[in-house]
Amino acid sequence: MLATILRGLLLLTPAIYGRQLSRLETVLIVDDSVVGGENTTKSLNVSSCPGYTLASLSETTHGLTAKLNLAGPACNAFGQDVSNLTIQVTYETRTRLHVNIFDTDNKQFTIPESVIARPPAPSTSHTKTSDLVFHYDSSPFAFWISRRSEPHAAPLFDTRIASLPQTPIPPSSDDNRTALDGFPLVFEDQYLQLTSALPKGTNIYGLGEVVSSSGFRRAIGTNGDNGTIQTMWARDIADPIDQNLYGSHRIYLEHRFNQTTNKSQSHGVFLFSSAGADIMLLTPASSSTSLIEYRLIGGTLDFYFFSGPTPQSVIEQYGGVVGLPTWQPAWAFGFQLCRWGYHDINETKEQVQKMREADIPLEVMWNDIDLYHALRDFTSDPVTFPASEMRAFIGELHANHQHYVPIVDAALAKQVNATDIYDPYTKGVEQKVFMTNPNGTEYVGQVWPGYTVFPDWFANNTQNWWTEAFRNWSSSGIAFDGIWQDMNEASSFCDGSCGTGANLSNTTVPNFLPGSPENPVTAYPECYNSTISGPSGNMTVNSTSTYTCDSTNSSSITLSRRGIGAGNQSGVDLNAPPYPIHNGNGRLAIHALATNATHAGGYAELDVHNLWGMMEEKATHKAIQEVLPGKRPFLISRSTFPGSGNWTGHWASLGDNFSQWRYMYFSIQGILQFQLFQIPFVGGDTCGFNGNTDEELCNRWMQLSAFAPFYRNHNERAALSQEPYRWDSVANASRTAIATRYSLLPYWYTLFANASTFGTPPMRALFFEFPDEPELFSVDRQFLIGRDILITPVLTPNASTVDGIFPGRGTVVWRDWYTHDVVNATSGANTTLPAPLGHINVHVRDSSAILLHAQPRYTIEQTRQGPFSLLVSLSADGQAFGTAFVDDGVSNPPGPSTTLSFTGSKGQLRIQAKGTFNIKQPLQDITILGVKRPTKVMFQDETAKHWIHIEAQDKLVVSNINGDLNGRVFLEWK
């Protein structure tokens, strides 16, 4: 009704406001989601905001501090203007600059040190030596960041009005969200705005979590697109495109190419804030610049700038702020299997047995919420998954060097009566560990078990209570090796606290489980002709293809983005902030917790919502350390935030995906995003989670995921079974891909040791390693594992070839992983490669030396106990180098280790060991590519007894050497 009245008043509003309404005002006032009626207390237009004037500047040893005073009458666009701000500029390291703008009275929310610890204060002054330089104008206040080495180049970040396009700027499409009324610095209690100019069409990566239609490189409005609006609000939703998802990461990497010098440099910008926000990337029509605009509904403007200048160094420098990734146990790199819909323990055991019968390696068996009694955390169903039988089953897995991971949902069931015994709830009530309503009563939501409560990670007793719940669960028979955390945005199915006046004994929920009679999974696989083969999912039946779509026009699930809503309440409104960010669910509380829900210390959910998942991960990591002392916690989680990588890996922007070809492709950009976010142990649910997969898609996906860090096949309840043994072609492809993966485990393990030690990303976009080749800047259908392994997967149906680019423009020799043949690649353009079903293209870079497991076995432990081999691919001038990190693979904290260095040069290969870990397994053989036939081969200064040379690949193979990797190893050929 109110919206109708407002539409009627629209003709009168220019007179009411004394001016013409802006595009943004118009959509705010007339949107159907307007509630209240007090928009007159907010201007809804930043064009009248006065900005700030700098005063009282004082230089410090490490930077400067100054006051910022409101430069004119308050505009109160979406809240109350803050009159007095403070800016602190700190040159923290030579490559990191910290610019923090906050309210002088410190009333705005900032992330507590107890949640995410900041880097220590600098001990050395970097004001004269920093790669970055801070500049400012006093009135109106604006700042810009430049490189010290390039003072006259375009700034890396530039908030000066003169550097930005003239406003007002109409929407770049019929979407009024892109209207730009002005670019002043705005700092209000519920709205903050800051805008920076960018070089037109620059390359931006990051800002997530998102499944982006533009790929790994974000749309900026210069390639026929409308730019990007990245909303920062953790959200429970199954992988829509171009909408906010489970996590919030406001870090971007910008990669600039200088067409004069043909050289590139990267830098990074990180906004350290948990506030709900829109971050916009746009290029206004006829503008000579692009821009990035931050619109926050709370908090402060706390920026870190990273100078790079390489993509890898930007990511490492970001890790210096948010922390480095947790150490993964070696077994985490094995193949893992799950199904939401294993009805009982016998079916779960059957899958393990069938995998072994098919000789498809299985490292980890998972259980979804089928495990639970009444869908409650920390339980097992006494009929279908009795604790005693689960104890025996998990014991069998452990005896076979396999592992077990169960799920833990974010919400705990609320006990409904005195006869309902549920200790995690009753003990939680006693210890006051659950979130509350503003009046102190228990906050009640609704998730799978019915009415639920939510742990408050800010409460004093929560960690001990949480640890006790895991310890009791493990002792009861669910002897887990790791934990899978789900629904931790946190998600709730009701709107607001839904316990008041409710019938708490009613355990039904508004969302029916997939596969239940009310919510069947009936759709056939994508573009599948069911008249040929019924529900089998087979790729062909009687030699006839079951696929009926044009591969370039695969069907998809369309999820539209909502327009801007309106919350025009006066004062501070926690439930409907005056500026409505573009949350895909609409109001912020939809499918989430009410934003006025309260945490210990008085924190409102509005301010800490995006932290919920990360804080749960931190608590769970610590709990596992207590329950499994001395072992590395293994954790996979859905919602993430900066710093989550300290505690967990991740699956969900890649996992609650769809069994469609384009979602297999999307998994690559997701993996690359999380390398930037310092959460490198990631991977999508192989073969797709939602809907029904088919033979060909699963075949290709099992191959692709074998080259992702986290490798799990998982699908939804009642969908077609997609275990890799279901189709012979998938089983064959899986065995081949897993064998390659397991042989590469020393390489994978070393990359992740480097990630945990230095923040170096294990998986890389091609331009990370080849930053001066513009044709690579948008490539995200291929990727690199480390610097040396190039993966070119098939991502479309009915294909027998695949196009891929080989970086280096002819200066790098790429060799086929399987045959060791040199690739005759087209310089700087695509090369067509054969890719029959069951084959994924893998290539090795020259100048590399890669330690391998010589005999891949059924489990990681069995594989690790076997001998090593070494693959060396020489460059054109005969050089090669590599390293390998070796330890026991499980100790926490990591114990003794040894780092091996492999150096090839001038007909020699030297292996040197540094460290105290004793490597028991011998080096069985060495393969060197790029060697002309030698006349003499020496190993350890003696004539080698077993060697062959294969001229077609210029390959020298020295076998049966039984080399001791704890000492000097020397090979020479002439």
Side-chain angles (χ1 to χ4, degrees):
M1 181 65 180
L2 178 60
T4 303
I5 295 172
L6 285 174
R7 286 194 183 94
L9 290 175
L10 187 57
L11 295 176
L12 302 177
T13 47
I16 294 172
Y17 281 82
R19 54 176 168 73
Q20 185 65 38
L21 290 176
S22 73
R23 295 292 189 104
L24 184 57
E25 285 175 298
T26 301
V27 75
L28 284 169
I29 291 173
V30 304
D31 192 276
D32 281 336
S33 60
V34 169
V35 292
E38 303 169 7
N39 268 328
T40 53
T41 64
K42 308 291 189 298
S43 74
L44 306 181
N45 190 314
V46 299
S47 63
S48 63
C49 295
Y52 289 81
T53 300
L54 183 142
S56 304
L57 184 146
S58 62
E59 295 187 356
T60 67
T61 303
H62 303 293
L64 63 86
T65 299
K67 300 299 182 185
L68 298 177
N69 301 319
L70 201 62
C75 66
N76 298 329
F78 299 98
Q80 301 299 312
D81 286 76
V82 178
S83 298
N84 303 115
L85 307 178
T86 297
I87 180 170
Q88 290 181 343
V89 178
T90 308
Y91 292 91
E92 294 192 343
T93 71
R94 192 178 63 83
T95 59
R96 184 174 76 230
L97 175 63
H98 185 192
V99 178
N100 188 10
I101 301 174
F102 57 94
D103 56 308
T104 304
D105 292 337
N106 287 310
K107 293 182 178 179
Q108 294 285 98
F109 176 81
T110 57
I111 299 171
E113 285 273 348
S114 61
V115 177
I116 301 177
R118 301 296 188 99
S123 57
T124 303
S125 175
H126 299 284
T127 56
K128 303 298 182 183
T129 59
S130 171
D131 291 348
L132 302 174
V133 181
F134 176 85
H135 311 268
Y136 66 91
D137 284 338
S138 296
S139 183
F141 169 74
F143 72 92
W144 64 102
I145 311 296
S146 66
R147 292 190 186 275
R148 187 177 298 275
S149 59
E150 297 179 327
H152 303 297
L156 306 186
F157 198 84
D158 188 355
T159 69
R160 292 172 292 182
I161 300 296
S163 301
L164 294 160
Q166 290 188 342
T167 57
I169 298 171
S172 58
S173 68
D174 58 359
D175 181 358
N176 281 294
R177 80 191 80 193
T178 59
L180 302 167
D181 293 335
F183 299 128
L185 168 61
V186 181
F187 199 115
E188 300 176 345
D189 54 1
Q190 289 198 281
Y191 183 75
L192 291 78
Q193 178 179 302
L194 185 72
T195 312
S196 170
L198 299 171
K200 188 172 184 177
T202 190
N203 303 290
I204 298 286
Y205 308 87
L207 300 177
E209 172 180 12
V210 67
V211 177
S212 172
S213 59
S214 67
F216 180 47
R217 184 173 66 177
R218 305 307 303 273
I220 199 168
T222 54
N223 294 312
D225 58 79
N226 293 321
T228 292
I229 296 181
Q230 181 64 49
T231 297
M232 299 295 173
W233 191 256
R235 175 180 174 225
D236 172 8
I237 186 67
D239 285 12
I241 298 170
D242 293 330
Q243 294 188 26
N244 54 312
L245 287 175
Y246 314 102
S248 172
H249 297 273
R250 49 204 86 191
I251 166 75
Y252 73 82
L253 181 152
E254 183 181 351
H255 190 66
R256 296 186 181 180
F257 179 71
N258 187 319
Q259 293 183 340
T260 301
T261 63
N262 289 322
K263 296 293 182 181
S264 295
Q265 293 187 102
S266 292
H267 67 274
V269 180
F270 170 48
L271 174 60
F272 188 72
S273 169
S274 60
D278 286 338
I279 300 179
M280 305 171 65
L281 295 169
L282 299 170
T283 304
S286 303
S287 173
S288 60
T289 63
S290 299
L291 60 87
I292 181 168
E293 180 164 284
Y294 296 85
R295 297 176 176 179
L296 286 68
I297 58 173
T300 62
L301 296 169
D302 191 358
F303 285 94
Y304 288 89
F305 300 91
F306 310 106
S307 67
T310 67
Q312 177 175 309
S313 59
V314 169
I315 296 170
E316 292 172 345
Q317 290 156 17
Y318 174 60
V321 173
V322 301
L324 302 180
T326 183
W327 285 80
Q328 295 294 337
W331 58 263
F333 295 94
F335 174 67
Q336 312 186 30
L337 183 64
C338 185
R339 174 85 186 275
W340 184 12
Y342 289 146
H343 299 102
D344 55 33
I345 187 173
N346 292 324
E347 186 174 355
T348 305
K349 293 168 68 174
E350 181 184 9
Q351 306 311 317
V352 176
Q353 181 62 31
K354 287 185 175 180
M355 290 289 289
R356 184 170 288 278
E357 290 172 353
D359 195 28
I360 302 173
L362 175 62
E363 185 70 19
V364 187
M365 194 67 196
W366 297 53
N367 273 128
D368 209 314
I369 58 176
D370 320 271
L371 170 69
Y372 292 159
H373 177 48
L375 301 177
R376 292 180 170 186
D377 280 352
F378 306 116
T379 66
S380 62
D381 191 285
V383 175
T384 55
F385 291 91
S388 59
E389 293 186 36
M390 285 299 296
R391 186 193 305 276
F393 167 61
I394 296 171
E396 292 172 5
L397 290 176
H398 291 165
N400 293 324
H401 307 296
Q402 294 169 297
H403 300 83
Y404 177 75
V405 173
I407 196 170
V408 171
D409 277 346
L412 276 76
K414 178 174 173 59
Q415 186 171 300
V416 296
N417 54 57
T419 62
D420 178 20
I421 306 301
Y422 183 46
D423 284 346
Y425 174 78
T426 55
K427 291 183 178 180
V429 171
E430 292 171 2
Q431 299 179 46
K432 299 181 179 180
V433 303
F434 297 126
M435 291 173 58
T436 65
N437 294 304
N439 64 4
T441 59
E442 191 174 69
Y443 182 92
V444 179
Q446 197 174 35
V447 195
W448 299 124
Y451 289 107
T452 55
V453 292
F454 297 84
D456 179 2
W457 308 112
F458 290 95
N460 292 331
N461 299 326
T462 307
Q463 181 66 66
N464 290 337
W465 162 80
W466 194 241
T467 300
E468 182 184 13
F470 279 101
R471 183 181 289 112
N472 291 341
W473 200 28
S474 181
S475 298
S476 75
I478 310 302
F480 55 79
D481 298 289
I483 293 295
W484 170 22
Q485 294 191 294
D486 198 10
M487 310 292 286
N488 60 344
E489 291 69 36
S491 175
S492 177
F493 301 154
C494 60
D495 187 359
S497 184
C498 53
T500 304
N503 175 13
L504 297 181
S505 64
N506 179 7
T507 59
T508 61
V509 294
N511 289 21
F512 294 110
L513 289 169
S516 64
E518 301 85 357
N519 187 18
V521 180
T522 58
Y524 282 97
E526 179 183 16
C527 296
Y528 189 77
N529 187 344
S530 61
T531 63
I532 294 176
S533 60
S536 70
N538 292 351
M539 187 177 67
T540 61
V541 172
N542 297 326
S543 300
T544 301
S545 172
T546 59
Y547 194 87
T548 59
C549 288
D550 182 338
S551 63
T552 61
N553 291 297
S554 297
S555 64
S556 63
I557 293 177
T558 301
L559 297 171
S560 60
R561 291 182 286 187
R562 78 178 189 98
I564 294 180
N568 61 336
Q569 296 80 359
S570 62
V572 174
D573 191 321
L574 296 177
N575 287 321
Y579 176 78
I581 61 173
H582 297 71
N583 179 32
N585 283 340
R587 289 187 302 104
L588 301 183
I590 299 298
H591 221 70
L593 307 185
T595 46
N596 68 346
T598 306
H599 298 257
Y603 296 122
E605 176 68 8
L606 177 67
D607 293 319
V608 302
H609 170 79
N610 288 322
L611 298 173
W612 207 99
M614 186 273 293
M615 295 185 71
E616 184 199 33
E617 291 143 19
K618 183 177 181 179
T620 304
H621 186 102
K622 292 181 176 181
I624 297 175
Q625 284 182 303
E626 293 291 327
V627 177
L628 302 174
K631 295 183 179 180
R632 296 175 196 172
F634 174 75
L635 195 59
I636 294 295
S637 186
R638 193 166 80 174
S639 182
T640 58
F641 190 78
S644 284
N646 292 273
W647 318 110
T648 187
H650 173 69
W651 99 99
S653 80
L654 316 146
D656 281 3
N657 53 13
F658 294 88
S659 297
Q660 297 180 357
W661 286 89
R662 65 173 179 165
Y663 276 88
M664 179 168 59
Y665 155 63
F666 287 148
S667 72
I668 298 175
Q669 62 164 272
I671 292 170
L672 295 176
Q673 279 181 40
F674 278 84
Q675 308 304 299
L676 199 161
F677 300 155
Q678 285 291 353
I679 309 174
F681 193 77
V682 290
D685 273 347
T686 302
C687 302
F689 173 74
N690 286 298
N692 289 312
T693 195
D694 65 77
E695 179 183 3
E696 184 183 11
L697 176 60
C698 201
N699 186 306
R700 296 297 192 185
W701 211 328
M702 282 295 295
Q703 296 170 69
L704 170 62
S705 292
F707 299 94
F710 175 48
Y711 187 15
R712 181 182 71 167
N713 182 312
H714 175 48
N715 68 324
E716 72 173 325
R717 189 169 178 252
L720 287 177
S721 296
Q722 61 186 44
E723 291 84 358
Y725 60 78
R726 297 287 180 179
W727 299 278
D728 287 344
S729 75
V730 178
N732 290 332
S734 300
R735 284 188 285 264
T736 300
I738 294 173
T740 301
R741 178 185 180 86
Y742 282 18
S743 69
L744 277 165
L745 282 175
Y747 183 72
W748 274 113
Y749 193 74
T750 301
L751 290 172
F752 273 82
N754 288 336
S756 298
T757 306
F758 308 109
T760 309
M763 290 187 63
R764 302 168 193 176
L766 272 55
F767 82 90
F768 283 17
E769 288 293 324
F770 299 89
D772 300 328
E773 301 178 19
E775 63 269 21
L776 304 179
F777 295 169
S778 63
V779 172
D780 58 6
R781 303 180 77 86
Q782 297 172 272
F783 56 91
L784 288 161
I785 305 174
R787 68 178 296 276
D788 297 327
I789 303 294
L790 174 65
I791 308 299
T792 308
V794 172
L795 301 170
T796 56
N798 298 331
S800 58
T801 62
V802 63
D803 289 340
I805 193 167
F806 286 86
R809 294 180 172 177
T811 64
V812 174
V813 178
W814 293 94
R815 295 181 170 97
D816 186 278
W817 167 265
Y818 310 98
T819 67
H820 297 157
D821 290 336
V822 173
V823 177
N824 183 18
T826 304
S827 177
N830 278 332
T831 299
T832 300
L833 304 168
L837 189 68
H839 177 77
I840 183 170
N841 276 278
V842 182
H843 292 88
V844 183
R845 183 179 182 174
D846 69 7
S847 73
S848 63
I850 302 174
L851 187 68
L852 306 170
H853 287 309
Q855 299 171 3
R857 302 286 298 279
Y858 194 76
T859 67
I860 299 298
E861 178 63 20
Q862 292 170 329
T863 299
R864 281 170 59 89
Q865 293 306 316
F868 291 105
S869 63
L870 182 66
L871 176 64
V872 179
S873 182
L874 298 174
S875 62
D877 59 357
Q879 306 292 316
F881 182 76
T883 62
F885 179 90
V886 187
D887 69 357
D888 66 7
V890 294
S891 292
N892 183 57
S897 64
T898 292
T899 298
L900 303 172
S901 298
F902 314 104
T903 305
S905 178
K906 298 180 180 179
Q908 297 179 343
L909 174 69
R910 289 183 172 85
I911 304 177
Q912 293 181 310
K914 183 178 181 180
T916 58
F917 181 77
N918 182 40
I919 303 174
K920 297 179 181 179
Q921 296 76 21
L923 180 63
Q924 176 177 285
D925 56 71
I926 300 173
T927 299
I928 304 180
L929 307 177
V931 175
K932 296 299 181 182
R933 182 173 183 84
T935 58
K936 187 176 184 180
V937 178
M938 306 285 289
F939 179 71
Q940 302 295 65
D941 301 318
E942 297 182 0
T943 300
K945 297 180 181 179
H946 305 283
W947 65 272
I948 61 172
H949 182 269
I950 303 173
E951 187 173 356
Q953 289 86 31
D954 286 335
K955 175 164 61 176
L956 172 64
V957 180
V958 186
S959 57
N960 299 326
I961 59 178
N962 199 35
D964 182 358
L965 289 172
N966 297 291
R968 169 185 174 273
V969 178
F970 181 71
L971 179 70
E972 184 177 18
W973 59 94
K974 298 180 181 178

